[in-house]
Amino acid sequence: MEAKGNLLSTIKEIDSTAKIQFMEAFTKVRENFIHTFRILFTQDDDCDLILSDMENPLEASIEIIAKPKGKRPLTISQLSGGEKTLTATALLFSLYLLKPAPFCIFDEVDAPLDDTNIAKFNNIIQKFSQESQFIIVTHNKQTMASVDVIYGVTMLEQGVSRVVPVDFRILEN
C-alpha cells in the first residue's frame, strides 16, 4: 500500500510538472504565433491558438484560428492555399522560436504562394537566417534570387546528375 501511495504521488508530481511546463511552452508558442502571423499577414489580421480544455491541457486539442483581414473563415480549410501555407509557416516559426534549431529544411513550401506572399516568406527567412541555416528546395525564381548560396541540379546526359553551386556572397564583393 505504501509503494502504491508513493507511485501515485510520483505520478501526480510528474503530471503537475508536465502541466506547468506545457502551459509555459504553449503560452510562448501562442505569443510567437500571433507575432509571426502578423509579420506574414498584416498587423490587423487576427489569429490565435486555443486549448479546448484549460483544466486538462495535456489531453486537450489545440485549435488554430487564422482570420486574414477581410475574411472570416470558420475553419482553416476555408483559407486559400497561400493563406494556409503562411499560417503553417507562422506556426512552424512560433515553435522554432521556442527552441531555435541550427538548421531548418523547407521542401517547396513556397509553391502555393503568389509573388507578394513569396516576398513575405523570403523576408522572414532572411530574418531568421541570422541564427539558423535554411535549406530550401524551390522552383521559385524570387526565392532563388533571395538566397546566399544556391545549388542547382542539372542532368547533362540521361541518368547523370550534376550539382552546380553558386555562392552569391562572392559575387557581391
Side-chain angles (χ1 to χ4, degrees), residues 13-160:
E13 184 179 329
I14 290 171
D15 234 19
S16 175
T17 302
K19 184 177 180 180
I20 290 167
Q21 289 179 345
F22 175 83
M23 288 307 297
E24 287 173 0
F26 178 79
T27 300
K28 287 177 187 170
V29 167
R30 182 176 173 266
E31 290 168 4
N32 293 341
F33 177 66
I34 292 168
H35 176 73
T36 307
F37 184 88
R38 290 182 176 158
I39 289 173
L40 290 168
F41 288 89
T42 71
Q43 289 299 313
D44 298 329
D45 292 328
D46 192 25
C47 68
D48 208 347
L49 297 177
I50 299 172
L51 280 175
S52 63
D53 183 1
M54 292 297 284
E55 296 301 315
N56 195 7
L58 300 178
E59 302 297 323
S61 60
I62 300 173
E63 185 178 352
I64 301 169
I65 307 294
K67 295 181 179 178
K69 191 175 180 182
K71 290 190 169 188
R72 293 292 168 234
L74 298 175
T75 66
I76 250 186
S77 63
Q78 293 176 322
L79 296 175
S80 71
E83 291 166 337
K84 288 178 192 174
T85 298
L86 289 181
T87 300
T89 301
L91 184 59
L92 285 171
F93 278 115
S94 67
L95 294 167
Y96 163 87
L97 287 167
L98 187 65
K99 188 171 182 184
F103 66 90
C104 299
I105 301 172
F106 288 118
D107 187 2
E108 297 194 44
V109 171
D110 57 357
L113 301 177
D114 61 17
D115 288 345
T116 302
N117 289 329
I118 287 282
K120 291 177 182 179
F121 173 77
N122 290 336
N123 286 339
I124 203 163
I125 292 293
Q126 289 293 329
K127 178 181 177 183
F128 285 106
S129 67
Q130 305 303 316
E131 295 162 30
S132 296
Q133 183 173 3
F134 288 86
I135 300 167
I136 303 171
V137 177
T138 187
H139 292 281
N140 186 282
K141 290 176 179 69
Q142 230 180 314
T143 300
M144 288 183 215
S146 73
V147 301
D148 293 330
V149 180
I150 189 169
Y151 294 91
V153 179
T154 184
M155 193 179 295
L156 294 176
E157 57 184 86
Q158 188 63 31
V160 181

